[in-house]
């Protein structure tokens, strides 16, 4: 429940006349504020309970992940082989360069 604000109606002449003011220029406020009580408490949202992140991820790993694992493993192998070929070639050429400097 929000506090209620009560405004006092005054004429412009009364507001401009400083001598005729009595009390504060601020509105009167009812300070009988009470927070709304929650029957069930606990900080959860009202309505249907949503699945937790753990249950969603567990459902994914049991049902969906094994179906695409073989394809992803094959793609990973292709990427690793594609990256390994130039690395092995550069190591071979560096060894050839070191041997040629050794014979000079």
């Amino acid at each position: 429940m929000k506090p209620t604000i009560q405004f006092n109606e005054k004429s412009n002449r009364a507001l401009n006349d400083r001598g005729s003011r009595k009390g504060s220029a601020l509105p009167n406020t009812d300070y009988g504020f009470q927070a709304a009580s929650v029957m069930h408490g606990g900080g959860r949202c009202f309505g249907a309970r949503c699945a937790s992140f753990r249950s969603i991820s567990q459902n994914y790993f049991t049902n969906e992940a094994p179906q695409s694992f073989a394809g992803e493993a094959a793609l990973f192998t292709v990427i690793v082989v594609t990256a390994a070929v130039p690395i092995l070639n550069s190591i071979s050429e560096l060894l050839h360069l070191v041997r040629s400097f050794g014979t000079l």
Side-chain angles (χ1 to χ4, degrees):
M1 172 192 261
K2 293 183 180 180
T4 57
I5 298 175
Q6 300 171 356
F7 292 100
N8 294 332
E9 295 293 328
K10 293 184 178 181
S11 67
N12 288 337
R13 185 175 149 236
L15 290 174
N16 291 333
D17 186 19
R18 293 182 185 251
S20 66
R21 281 193 192 178
K22 294 181 182 175
S24 174
L26 298 175
N28 294 330
T29 305
D30 179 18
Y31 290 103
F33 177 77
Q34 294 180 355
S37 63
V38 178
M39 296 292 288
H40 303 293
R44 295 188 181 195
C45 295
F46 294 107
R49 184 174 178 180
C50 297
S52 68
F53 180 75
R54 182 177 177 150
S55 66
I56 292 171
S57 62
Q58 185 177 10
N59 184 26
Y60 170 76
F61 285 118
T62 56
N63 297 330
E64 297 177 23
Q67 296 172 357
S68 61
F69 177 75
E72 291 176 2
L75 181 63
F76 178 75
T77 303
V78 168
I79 292 172
V80 167
V81 169
T82 304
V85 170
I87 292 172
L88 293 175
N89 190 16
S90 64
I91 291 172
S92 171
E93 294 301 320
L94 282 174
L95 289 174
H96 182 67
L97 181 66
V98 169
R99 285 187 197 138
S100 67
F101 280 132
T103 58
L104 290 175

